[in-house]
Amino acid sequence: MTYRRAAVPALAGGLLLTALLWWAGASAQALHLRGSTGVFGGQATAEIERWLAR
């Protein structure tokens, strides 16, 4: 029961983050904005950029 309480907001947040990144440019250009590397980290930014480039 407690896992469900934690999993639902985490899943919703992940989907929202994915949708916002997609909307923010639907490309890797949004990841080149100042501060994106600081928020996500270098490796995560590269992974997201590669994922969006597909």
Side-chain angles (χ1 to χ4, degrees):
M1 185 73 121
T2 49
Y3 291 117
R4 186 179 302 164
R5 286 184 179 175
V8 171
L11 181 62
L15 290 174
L16 181 62
L17 179 62
T18 302
L20 286 173
L21 283 172
W22 202 284
W23 175 78
S27 70
Q29 289 179 352
L31 294 171
H32 294 289
L33 296 174
R34 186 179 352 157
S36 65
T37 306
V39 172
F40 297 116
Q43 185 177 4
T45 302
E47 289 290 324
I48 294 170
E49 187 174 350
R50 192 176 77 219
W51 182 75
L52 287 173
R54 290 183 187 189

